[in-house]
Amino acid sequence: MHLTKEQEKMLNGEYGEVVAKSMELLVRVGEAYGAERLVSISHAHVSGISYSNIGRYGLEFILDFYKRGGKARVFTTVNPGCIDYCGLSQVVENKFLEEQSKIDMALHGMGFRPVYTCIPYYYRAPLIDEHLAWGESSAVIFANSVYGARTNREGGPVALASSITGYTYYAGLHILENRKCSLLLIIPPLPSSIPIGAVGLWIGDNIKEIPCIRIWDERDLYEYKILLSSMAASGSHGLGVIEGVTPRGTYLEELEDKVYVESKMLEPYLGEDIQRGSEILGYIGCPHLHPEELIKLLRLLRRRGKVRRGRLLATIPREYVNTFRDIVLELRARGVDIACGTCPVVSTIRRQYDIVVTNSGKAAFYLRRIHGLKVKLASLEEVVDLVAR
Ligand code: F3S
């Protein structure tokens, strides 16, 4: 790989041991992907920081970087941890408080912004063609597909190394030629019983190419967030071109085939039926809620009164509890269980429920796999209706 003089000095240890170690990691990974050079980045987003997911080995890896003097060279945000940072939730268990606190202390010490969220684009919106090094598949696919930025799906250690060096390897989705969509997916109007998360799960499961997605229904940005995160969960996509949304010029289009996605293809992704008398956990906020979604949730609840059946969990970035305090308080008064800076996928929950009902295909995918829970997919309105009727 060709390195600039500065990068060579970094690799040779002239900028310190931790920078050398980070550079070595980037060069090795880059060479494995056939990268001929590195590229500077302006924002790193570090995933894999939840103790519940990374365990002792991961904790020691992060602590090691910190103790050796690791410091962010570029703006760096962090993914959710495994505790509720506001201490409001009755659903999320703060089982690994001590271990998570050690990780958090190291992240703060390295100068990372402690947003604890999977929607880092809310804190710093990427620019078109801007190179990033982001972990968190849902954020990566949103950055590439909606903002037209350029990032691969990085693992936590690579994003960490990119933060410390300010570089990533120039390969994959950083290169325009690799951002070519070759399959047109046509999504006709769907019945209300089929939420957009099911479409995402089907795409991830069945489509290997970068798709060009033509959706006939009018959908808002938050539904695209659900669609994209769901396809990145059940598949390995880092980019899905959405007609009319993805900025032109940030991808190439050579359509060779087209597929109509019909309702019956999506039915297997809708999950389990709710049995009479089941104890329900309604869950929204995967990926974390944008403030507009928080307001939408509040409006829905104002119409229906309050949560009366089971629980309704909403997960949000840590800082909302200060910035949107009044909304958070009213939602809590209406019976919503708010967890900040975490989610049930990267944490543990206090007790089992008979079934989780969620609007997120990604949450459905992982809650089944990781926690072995029964899950049903529904629209946001249906989730609220179920618990607030
Ligand atoms: Fe975010 Fe957790 Fe979903 S990290 S994308 S809310 S699985």
Side-chain angles (χ1 to χ4, degrees):
M1 184 185 293
H2 171 76
L3 297 181
T4 63
K5 284 210 165 46
E6 185 206 33
Q7 291 161 355
E8 260 176 21
K9 283 183 186 170
M10 286 178 154
L11 187 62
N12 294 336
E14 290 182 41
Y15 286 67
E17 185 192 3
V18 76
V19 173
K21 192 175 163 187
S22 302
M23 191 52 101
E24 193 189 331
L25 177 64
L26 291 176
V27 169
R28 264 213 236 134
V29 173
E31 283 177 346
Y33 283 105
E36 291 175 0
R37 64 181 175 91
L38 300 175
V39 62
S40 7
I41 56 149
S42 36
H43 181 172
H45 179 69
V46 179
S47 60
I49 62 108
S50 154
Y51 183 80
S52 190
N53 289 162
I54 62 176
R56 179 137 299 277
Y57 174 77
L59 178 142
E60 277 162 14
F61 181 85
I62 294 173
L63 280 186
D64 183 53
F65 267 67
Y66 167 60
K67 285 181 187 158
R68 290 171 193 241
K71 283 275 175 224
R73 274 190 111 211
V74 293
F75 181 73
T76 302
T77 44
V78 298
N79 225 33
C82 71
I83 54 170
D84 167 27
Y85 289 90
C86 305
L88 301 172
S89 178
Q90 296 296 310
V91 175
V92 170
E93 184 181 38
N94 287 339
K95 186 173 167 190
F96 297 116
L97 182 60
E98 197 182 332
E99 293 86 347
Q100 186 65 51
S101 302
K102 284 184 187 161
I103 294 174
D104 297 347
M105 184 265 306
L107 299 171
H108 295 195
M110 289 192 279
F112 301 172
R113 181 158 170 187
V115 290
Y116 300 106
T117 187
C118 43
I119 56 165
Y121 39 86
Y122 173 67
Y123 289 94
R124 182 186 174 280
L127 303 171
I128 286 180
D129 291 339
E130 185 178 35
H131 294 282
L132 314 166
W134 283 13
E136 177 47 51
S137 64
S138 70
V140 167
I141 196 166
F142 201 81
N144 284 318
S145 312
V146 173
Y147 289 99
R150 298 188 184 196
T151 172
N152 289 318
R153 286 174 61 149
E154 301 300 3
V158 170
L160 184 62
S162 290
S163 166
I164 283 167
T165 58
Y167 294 103
T168 191
Y169 55 93
Y170 188 64
L173 293 173
H174 288 281
I175 300 173
L176 183 62
E177 285 67 33
N178 296 334
R179 300 167 67 98
K180 189 191 293 173
C181 59
S182 55
L183 177 74
L184 177 62
L185 281 182
I186 301 175
I187 322 282
L190 296 171
S192 59
S193 57
I194 301 197
I196 197 77
V199 180
L201 288 178
W202 180 87
I203 297 175
D205 212 13
N206 293 280
I207 304 299
K208 299 293 163 248
E209 301 89 337
I210 295 175
C212 173
I213 305 169
R214 179 177 296 165
I215 303 185
W216 288 1
D217 283 344
E218 207 168 303
R219 303 278 182 174
D220 64 26
L221 210 52
Y222 310 113
E223 288 180 287
Y224 293 136
K225 182 178 73 162
I226 299 276
L227 170 81
L228 292 165
S229 60
S230 305
M231 64 188 263
S234 59
S236 56
H237 295 89
L239 167 65
V241 172
I242 301 178
E243 275 192 354
V245 174
T246 307
R248 285 188 173 277
T250 62
Y251 62 93
L252 302 176
E253 191 176 292
E254 272 179 33
L255 299 177
E256 292 161 9
D257 213 348
K258 69 179 162 196
V259 174
Y260 283 87
V261 181
E262 293 167 22
S263 301
K264 66 174 185 306
M265 295 153 77
L266 304 172
E267 282 165 10
Y269 297 89
L270 297 177
E272 279 84 359
D273 288 332
I274 302 172
Q275 304 299 326
R276 183 185 281 269
S278 296
E279 197 167 355
I280 297 173
L281 174 63
Y283 173 47
I284 52 173
C286 171
H288 279 175
L289 296 176
H290 184 276
E292 270 191 57
E293 292 176 284
L294 210 57
I295 292 166
K296 185 173 177 186
L297 172 63
L298 185 56
R299 287 206 183 112
L300 285 170
L301 271 165
R302 278 180 181 162
R303 253 183 261 145
R304 287 163 181 76
K306 62 185 293 193
V307 176
R308 293 191 182 85
R309 184 184 176 197
R311 284 202 179 266
L312 176 59
L313 170 69
T315 50
I316 58 176
R318 187 176 88 158
E319 294 179 11
Y320 283 14
V321 79
N322 298 322
T323 39
F324 304 106
R325 192 164 180 273
D326 291 348
I327 299 174
V328 169
L329 288 179
E330 185 174 342
L331 284 170
R332 281 199 22 98
R334 291 182 183 276
V336 181
D337 191 286
I338 305 263
C340 307
T342 187
C343 81
V345 173
V346 300
S347 65
T348 49
I349 55 178
R350 285 180 204 271
R351 52 180 296 268
Q352 289 291 319
Y353 292 83
D354 295 326
I355 192 159
V356 179
V357 185
T358 180
N359 62 341
S360 162
K362 174 169 181 174
F365 184 84
Y366 284 111
L367 288 175
R368 265 189 214 116
R369 285 204 170 190
I370 298 178
H371 295 311
L373 294 167
K374 281 189 179 172
V375 186
K376 179 180 171 50
L377 266 185
S379 66
L380 171 65
E381 289 77 5
E382 278 177 305
V383 176
V384 174
D385 269 346
L386 257 172
V387 294
R389 68 174 175 221

